[in-house]
Amino acid sequence: MQPRTPLVLCVLLSQVLLLTSAEDLDCTPGFQQKVFHINQPAEFIEDQSILNLTFSDCKGNDKLRYEVSSPYFKVNSDGSLVALRNVTAVGRTLFVHARTPHAEDMAELVIVGGKDVQGSLQVVDSDRPERSKFRLTGKGVDQEPKGIFRINENTGSVSVTRTLDREVIAIYQLFVETTDANGKTLEGPVPLEVIVIDQNDNRPIFREGPYIGHVMEGSPTGTTVMRMTAFDADDPATDNALLRYNIRQQTPDKPSPNMFYIDPEKGDIVTVVSPALLDRETLENPKYELIIEAQDMAGLDVGLTGTATATIMIDDKNDHSPKFTKKEFQATVEEGAVGVIVNLTVEDKDDPTTGAWRAAYTIINGNPGQSFEIHTNPQTNEGMLSVVKPLDYEISAFHTLLIKVENEDPLVPDVSYGPSSTATVHITVLDVNEGPVFYPDPMMVTRQENISVGSVLLTVNATDPDSLQHQTIRYSVYKDPAGWLNINPINGTVDTTAVLDRESPFVHNSVYTALFLAIDSGNPPATGTGTLLITLEDVNDNAPFIYPTVAEVCDDAKNLSVVILGASDKDLHPNTDPFKFEIHKQTAPDKVWKISKINNTHALVSLLQNLNKANYNLPIMVTDSGKPPMTNITDLRVQVCSCRNSKVDCNAAGALHFSLPSLLLLSLLSILSIACL
């Protein structure tokens, strides 16, 4: 239902306005008087002047505009403060804000005897039917948060029951309607929008810390370091959230108490000193801490403040070249030794934690054989000069190196490396008694195994590096695992003291290794070690052997195969396979056995007929392919077992049966034994 008569709404709420500071001039912009005290009257009368305010921007007050914190008052163009209607209570304080394009200021009116008031509004319907009532609904009334607003059902006065917080809810959408005595809607509902006017009740907050900025030393004046911004929860459309920034404190305050400036509106921190003052090497401390203050109300004294700390690091640039602490360094080293021989010291004023300080050393002359290397000590920045290839006193007793030092990072364009960035190192090599050296080493000879004892293998040759000392050399055996060798201590001739055996456990891959010593006549004497590698050629000195030597077969077996024999030989090819397998001296009555070749290394032993349960010894002869060949005869023990009902019985095989040749051989051995007795 549409209302017949429009509803007139008025809201009584308070608001704090803003003021910006002005520069000190002959004419001081602003209110001539900033604080007024007036007594609370019984009622402020509409259009009746309460007091006169005087404001000047010192430039003619063009476009002067006044704002009052209460909606029930205004300031006329002549500066008179008047009420817009009859008002009984306005609170304890009013604020008047004056603004022109050139200046602004705020005056405070203290109401002596005034009381805090709740915000209220009056709903008026001149044509409302008699005995009708007002009803208020919406968020803040009968919807959460409930009970904030209420309406006098008879007068239409809307009041606030508790303090409002714009930062929680800025606008309330309510609805007003009129009802009859039975609650039936007569008019409405009509929207009622309640706008909560912002009060400056939130301090600026720096939420993004920690704030750490870096600026390179020597940066031009006006270099931006970082930006600091704060947040204010108040209404951004008002001066309550209009922030201004300033630096409250700088630590340390040397070489200038004002090393930096902050843009009051943007929060940009910039350098304000000359590049010469921003020299990291001359600063008391390369870290500055600034207390930054943000103040709302555009920085006026009445504004709320918040602070944060900005840490600014003055970063190093490579504007100092490293310099050796002296032009010449001395070092001594024994010949044959390796390792660090001297530490070269440098000075650099740059930051020790950066590549502008860390040194890199290079040997630029005097190292043709690459016998020296230089590395940087990461803790001390010293150059550690090392010998990496042993030096020889007899070749050169003195060495001179030219070394330069640079930084890991390049120098800035206006700085260069000077004469102090190079140094000379004089190295003296000390003579020591060096051990004799065998040549060649290792020494290698090839001989057949089983050569006669006393055979000469070679004459070793060792020389003394100390050619200027004219020393004599004696030889001795150092390691001879099998005890096969001897060496003449004077001339170094090596001969054999035992038979050389390629199949010895001391020989590996046909090579026998022995060590010899060469000892000079120095004081104390020095020793050198030489290695002799003897490659032994194989001769056919090992007969082959068979495996296995025991076999079983059933007395009623249908398959008369007995066993597959294999043969092996410790010698090397061609003194090994192919092997020849035979049954040694099998006579006609004993020809119940058969041996058949399978391949070069294996043969099959089988029966021509079944035999009775017994143990049989069968002489097997195997011959290798050497020249001359070697033969070995080995008895193969064959057990003929009783196999009944899946049971194999070999324990009662009966008397041992021999072939005829075996019996003859046993008889001959018995006769020889008796004769010997």
Side-chain angles (χ1 to χ4, degrees):
M1 177 183 297
Q2 296 297 325
R4 291 178 307 211
T5 303
L7 302 177
V8 181
L9 308 179
C10 300
V11 180
L12 176 60
L13 299 166
S14 61
Q15 180 181 21
V16 178
L17 304 176
L18 306 177
L19 182 66
T20 56
S21 60
E23 298 178 351
D24 292 332
L25 302 173
D26 293 339
C27 170
T28 303
F31 286 104
Q32 291 186 1
Q33 182 177 343
K34 296 184 183 298
V35 181
F36 298 85
H37 293 78
I38 59 175
N39 293 320
Q40 170 70 51
E43 186 176 37
F44 290 98
I45 307 301
E46 181 179 356
D47 288 334
Q48 179 178 318
S49 177
I50 300 171
L51 57 81
N52 287 320
L53 301 166
T54 303
F55 173 87
S56 174
D57 67 354
C58 302
K59 294 189 178 181
N61 284 355
D62 183 37
K63 297 182 180 179
L64 175 60
R65 182 166 57 90
Y66 292 99
E67 295 175 345
V68 184
S69 60
S70 170
Y72 303 123
F73 296 87
K74 74 172 183 177
V75 177
N76 294 323
S77 59
D78 61 356
S80 60
L81 176 67
V82 298
L84 295 174
R85 65 180 179 86
N86 295 341
V87 181
T88 57
V90 297
R92 298 179 183 273
T93 307
L94 293 177
F95 293 94
V96 178
H97 182 234
R99 184 197 302 268
T100 73
H102 306 290
E104 59 182 315
D105 201 358
M106 186 164 61
E108 180 182 5
L109 282 67
V110 179
I111 312 297
V112 180
K115 298 180 179 180
D116 291 332
V117 296
Q118 295 282 355
S120 64
L121 58 85
Q122 183 75 34
V123 179
V124 180
D125 186 353
S126 59
D127 294 332
R128 183 166 63 91
E130 294 184 5
R131 300 183 65 183
S132 63
K133 298 179 180 181
F134 290 100
R135 181 164 62 194
L136 186 65
T137 59
K139 183 177 180 179
V141 182
D142 56 350
Q143 300 175 23
E144 293 295 341
K146 296 180 180 180
I148 294 179
F149 299 95
R150 64 187 177 189
I151 190 168
N152 187 306
E153 61 182 14
N154 296 318
T155 65
S157 175
V158 179
S159 59
V160 180
T161 63
R162 56 180 181 268
T163 303
L164 302 179
D165 189 348
R166 189 203 67 85
E167 286 71 48
V168 178
I169 300 178
I171 299 175
Y172 291 88
Q173 297 289 346
L174 307 180
F175 298 91
V176 180
E177 57 186 344
T178 57
T179 65
D180 60 17
N182 297 322
K184 182 179 179 181
T185 300
L186 299 176
E187 293 183 85
V190 176
L192 172 61
E193 185 178 79
V194 179
I195 300 174
V196 182
I197 300 176
D198 187 39
Q199 295 284 351
N200 191 20
D201 57 351
N202 289 278
R203 292 182 178 275
I205 300 173
F206 290 90
R207 301 190 299 186
E208 300 175 358
Y211 296 91
I212 300 176
H214 294 263
V215 63
M216 189 68 69
E217 65 171 327
S219 295
T221 303
T223 299
T224 299
V225 180
M226 60 191 299
R227 172 171 287 188
M228 297 272 292
T229 55
F231 169 78
D232 195 310
D234 290 318
D235 187 354
T238 69
D239 287 354
N240 295 337
L242 183 59
L243 304 183
R244 294 294 183 265
Y245 301 93
N246 70 88
I247 300 175
R248 293 288 302 274
Q249 181 180 333
Q250 171 191 300
T251 304
D253 59 358
K254 304 291 178 58
S256 168
N258 299 305
M259 299 285 289
F260 306 94
Y261 165 80
I262 187 167
D263 186 303
E265 296 183 2
K266 297 180 180 178
D268 290 338
I269 299 176
V270 299
T271 61
V272 293
V273 294
S274 67
L277 288 181
L278 209 61
D279 185 356
R280 186 188 176 283
E281 287 72 40
T282 61
L283 293 177
E284 176 183 325
N285 189 338
K287 181 175 76 172
Y288 285 86
E289 290 189 348
L290 308 180
I291 304 300
I292 305 299
E293 179 185 73
Q295 187 171 27
D296 59 22
M297 300 296 288
L300 294 178
D301 292 341
V302 295
L304 303 177
T305 62
T307 60
T309 300
T311 301
I312 299 177
M313 305 298 300
I314 310 301
D315 291 338
D316 187 37
K317 64 180 180 180
N318 198 8
D319 55 351
H320 294 86
S321 62
K323 298 179 180 179
F324 284 102
T325 57
K326 51 186 179 181
K327 290 297 296 179
E328 294 185 350
F329 294 85
Q330 305 292 329
T332 58
V333 59
E334 291 183 348
E335 65 172 331
V338 294
V340 177
I341 58 174
V342 66
N343 290 313
L344 310 183
T345 53
V346 295
E347 294 178 345
D348 195 315
K349 295 181 180 180
D350 291 314
D351 184 358
T353 64
T354 67
W357 177 81
R358 291 190 292 270
Y361 298 86
T362 306
I363 302 173
I364 58 177
N365 195 14
N367 191 28
Q370 305 301 307
S371 299
F372 302 92
E373 287 183 359
I374 188 166
H375 301 280
T376 304
N377 186 317
Q379 282 74 41
T380 64
N381 216 29
E382 295 176 345
M384 301 182 296
L385 181 63
S386 303
V387 176
V388 294
K389 292 182 180 179
L391 304 177
D392 191 338
Y393 172 84
E394 284 71 30
I395 295 177
S396 177
F398 300 97
H399 296 267
T400 300
L401 305 180
L402 184 62
I403 297 177
K404 72 174 181 179
V405 62
E406 298 176 328
N407 287 131
E408 290 183 2
D409 292 348
L411 295 173
V412 296
D414 55 341
V415 178
S416 60
Y417 293 104
S420 298
S421 295
T422 59
T424 301
V425 182
H426 299 287
I427 302 164
T428 301
V429 182
L430 303 178
D431 187 25
V432 297
N433 186 22
E434 300 172 86
V437 178
F438 283 88
Y439 182 82
D441 190 28
M443 301 162 282
M444 293 181 286
V445 296
T446 300
R447 295 289 187 274
Q448 279 193 345
E449 63 173 333
N450 299 337
I451 61 174
S452 59
V453 175
S455 297
V456 175
L457 299 180
L458 81 163
T459 299
V460 301
N461 178 37
T463 58
D464 192 343
D466 302 307
S467 56
L468 302 179
Q469 298 183 22
H470 305 291
Q471 299 180 124
T472 60
I473 296 176
R474 294 181 62 84
Y475 300 97
S476 66
V477 177
Y478 179 40
K479 288 185 179 180
D480 178 17
W484 291 343
L485 305 176
N486 175 65
I487 188 169
N488 186 301
I490 305 300
N491 61 23
T493 299
V494 178
D495 56 14
T496 63
T497 59
V499 175
L500 307 183
D501 183 6
R502 193 199 66 83
E503 290 75 35
S504 167
F506 299 107
V507 177
H508 303 283
N509 296 324
S510 301
V511 177
Y512 180 72
T513 302
L515 301 180
F516 297 94
L517 297 179
I519 307 167
D520 66 19
S521 57
N523 186 21
T527 301
T529 302
T531 301
L532 172 61
L533 302 178
I534 305 173
T535 301
L536 296 175
E537 295 178 340
D538 187 43
V539 298
N540 194 16
D541 57 350
N542 289 277
F545 57 91
I546 65 168
Y547 58 89
T549 58
V550 178
E552 294 178 355
V553 65
C554 292
D555 57 0
D556 60 351
K558 294 180 180 180
N559 183 358
L560 298 180
S561 297
V562 177
V563 67
I564 295 177
L565 296 179
S568 183
D569 195 317
K570 293 182 179 180
D571 292 318
L572 298 178
H573 190 77
N575 296 321
T576 57
D577 61 271
F579 298 111
K580 180 180 179 182
F581 295 89
E582 297 175 276
I583 298 175
H584 184 55
K585 295 183 179 180
Q586 183 176 210
T587 61
D590 291 332
K591 287 186 178 181
V592 295
W593 304 94
K594 178 183 178 181
I595 190 164
S596 305
K597 179 179 178 180
I598 296 176
N599 55 31
N600 288 344
T601 57
H602 291 79
L604 173 65
V605 176
S606 59
L607 285 167
L608 299 178
Q609 64 185 42
N610 290 113
L611 296 178
N612 294 328
K613 180 179 178 182
N615 290 336
Y616 298 85
N617 277 350
L618 184 64
I620 303 297
M621 182 170 67
V622 59
T623 305
D624 63 23
S625 297
K627 294 182 179 179
M630 293 197 71
T631 298
N632 181 29
I633 300 174
T634 303
D635 280 342
L636 172 65
R637 185 184 181 192
V638 180
Q639 294 177 302
V640 179
C641 305
S642 175
C643 304
R644 301 291 184 272
N645 299 324
S646 300
K647 294 183 179 179
V648 179
D649 180 13
C650 298
N651 293 329
L656 187 62
H657 285 249
F658 296 92
S659 63
L660 180 59
S662 297
L663 289 172
L664 293 173
L665 180 60
L666 287 173
S667 299
L668 180 61
L669 290 174
S670 298
I671 295 171
L672 290 174
S673 298
I674 294 171
C676 292
L677 291 174

